[in-house]
Amino acid sequence: MDKGVNGERINHTLPHYSVSRRVGLLLCFAFSMPALAENTSAAPSPSALIVTHKLPEITSNERVLYEVEALQLALEKTRAEYGPYELRGIPPMNRARTIAALHNNIYPNLILQMSYEDDLAEQEKLAHIPFPLDRGALSFRICFMRDELKTKVSNITRSEQLKQYTFGTGIGWADTKILRYNHLQVIEANSVVNLFRMTKAGRVDFFCRGPSEYHYEHQHESSLGLTSDSQMALYYPLPKFFFTHKDNQAVLARIKRGLELAYKDGSFNKLWYKRHHQGLTEAQLQKRNLVKMENPLIKRLSRDYETYLYDPLTEQ
């Protein structure tokens, strides 16, 4: 078990297995999702609310995802009102499997962070909380590239100037649709590791990441031979919300209330600051040419969520 915010113990499905063992379990999961759902952990106390979440990728340095810390914080803030809870982890899934798991309501109270899309939010079986968990931090993108491209992007300020280049994205990512909508060339891959390799090999020109992701990967993936660009950043609004099955209205209401309470008392911003602020600071967005793009996936989204956004260009 790991400890999250406020010392609550989190019950993970795959706690301390070796990488090879975890890979094997993930393969089993890929072919037998319902079977795994029936054996996630020991039985909880009868009164505890079971809430299911995603585990980190096996290659990730994180023992607990930020979205899980935010989820736990919301549940902890409402413990006195709603009672005890137990968090259960399931192996990571690609976007297609994520949506399938939510649609079929396979796991008890499965709560997942996903990029908002109008079509996704309007699906009959899904529900979401319009609270931007990253406060807009991931709307900014810093790009990895090969050294020889660094001088070529120094004067780019508009998306039209990027049409001659190719961008690497993950299969099913909202970024893919956004970049293509803005008339840019995109090549998809099935993992972040492959996207780094493709960028180094010149199969794609840019692999763009959120500031917190970029900050960590720039420090720990320097051996990839990719340059540290300091001239350009992309921006497109990319709100990240909690999604679940529509039948989970009770837990959804609890999490929504918990997030609001945590935001009001400052504990949510404290958690957000720990995860995102250093990356935003290191990115020095104020000194970059900001290439703004439209996100066609949020045209019907109410802009009320923007109340919670952080603007790194004006706030310190």
Side-chain angles (χ1 to χ4, degrees):
M1 289 195 180
D2 291 329
K3 289 186 178 180
V5 293
N6 298 317
E8 179 71 18
R9 296 178 72 82
I10 302 176
N11 185 0
H12 289 328
T13 307
L14 307 176
H16 298 294
Y17 295 130
S18 66
V19 170
S20 61
R21 175 62 171 155
R22 292 185 69 184
V23 169
L25 287 170
L26 291 180
L27 290 175
C28 291
F29 165 75
F31 294 101
S32 183
M33 288 169 51
L36 184 60
E38 297 171 358
N39 298 282
T40 51
S41 71
S45 63
S47 60
L49 172 72
I50 300 173
V51 181
T52 314
H53 64 84
K54 182 176 69 173
L55 291 171
E57 301 282 346
I58 60 173
T59 56
S60 172
N61 69 302
E62 296 182 286
R63 288 188 60 80
V64 182
L65 294 171
Y66 166 72
E67 66 188 79
V68 178
E69 290 189 314
L71 174 61
Q72 186 192 3
L73 177 62
L75 292 169
E76 192 64 33
K77 288 294 177 181
T78 52
R79 176 191 286 273
E81 181 178 356
Y82 289 86
Y85 62 90
E86 177 182 334
L87 290 173
R88 291 187 179 183
I90 59 172
M93 300 172 278
N94 61 31
R95 189 174 176 85
R97 285 195 175 276
T98 295
I99 295 173
L102 289 173
H103 261 274
N104 295 316
N105 207 17
I106 296 173
Y107 305 103
N109 294 314
L110 176 60
I111 306 292
L112 295 175
Q113 174 188 264
M114 293 195 293
S115 297
Y116 174 92
E117 298 182 22
D118 288 331
D119 291 344
L120 179 67
E122 293 165 3
Q123 292 182 24
E124 182 181 356
K125 293 186 177 182
L126 301 186
H128 70 280
I129 302 172
F131 183 101
L133 297 165
D134 69 326
R135 298 190 62 204
L138 296 179
S139 296
F140 295 90
R141 288 289 195 257
I142 311 299
C143 302
F144 287 101
M145 66 186 73
R146 300 182 310 282
D147 288 341
E148 58 265 32
L149 293 178
K150 189 170 184 178
T151 57
K152 296 181 180 180
V153 303
S154 60
N155 295 317
I156 290 179
T157 58
R158 306 184 315 277
S159 60
E160 291 81 5
Q161 296 172 279
L162 293 169
K163 289 182 179 180
Q164 62 182 303
Y165 300 104
T166 54
F167 289 79
T169 64
I171 295 174
W173 290 7
D175 306 71
T176 304
K177 301 174 186 177
I178 295 169
L179 293 171
R180 285 177 174 161
Y181 178 84
N182 287 275
H183 310 293
L184 301 181
Q185 302 177 64
V186 178
I187 297 177
E188 296 175 273
N190 61 6
S191 73
V192 169
V193 172
N194 283 340
L195 286 165
F196 274 116
R197 291 171 178 167
M198 291 165 65
T199 307
K200 182 178 181 181
R203 293 179 58 194
V204 299
D205 295 314
F206 303 124
F207 175 37
C208 306
R209 306 289 277 157
S212 56
E213 297 165 326
Y214 182 88
H215 172 70
Y216 173 80
E217 291 161 353
H218 172 58
Q219 287 183 320
H220 295 83
E221 305 294 341
S222 57
S223 60
L224 290 170
L226 300 175
T227 193
S228 174
D229 174 50
S230 60
Q231 302 295 318
M232 179 183 73
L234 309 183
Y235 174 81
Y236 38 82
L238 191 68
K240 303 275 189 177
F241 298 154
F242 276 139
F243 279 79
T244 190
H245 191 276
K246 67 172 186 178
D247 289 348
N248 301 328
Q249 289 297 324
V251 71
L252 203 67
R254 174 174 177 171
I255 294 168
K256 181 176 184 294
R257 176 163 174 74
L259 289 172
E260 291 170 348
L261 289 171
Y263 186 81
K264 185 176 181 180
D265 70 16
S267 55
F268 179 86
N269 283 342
K270 183 178 180 180
L271 174 63
W272 175 88
Y273 190 97
K274 180 182 72 173
R275 285 292 188 132
H276 290 287
H277 194 264
Q278 185 174 5
L280 288 169
T281 301
E282 294 288 337
Q284 296 186 306
L285 294 168
Q286 300 89 337
K287 299 181 179 180
R288 295 175 180 267
N289 296 326
L290 197 61
V291 181
K292 295 183 178 180
M293 301 183 194
E294 183 180 352
N295 181 353
L297 310 175
I298 63 171
K299 290 183 177 181
R300 298 188 292 277
L301 173 63
S302 169
R303 298 183 66 175
D304 292 347
Y305 79 95
E306 294 180 355
T307 301
Y308 301 102
L309 297 184
Y310 174 89
D311 184 358
L313 302 180
T314 58
E315 300 182 58
Q316 300 298 321

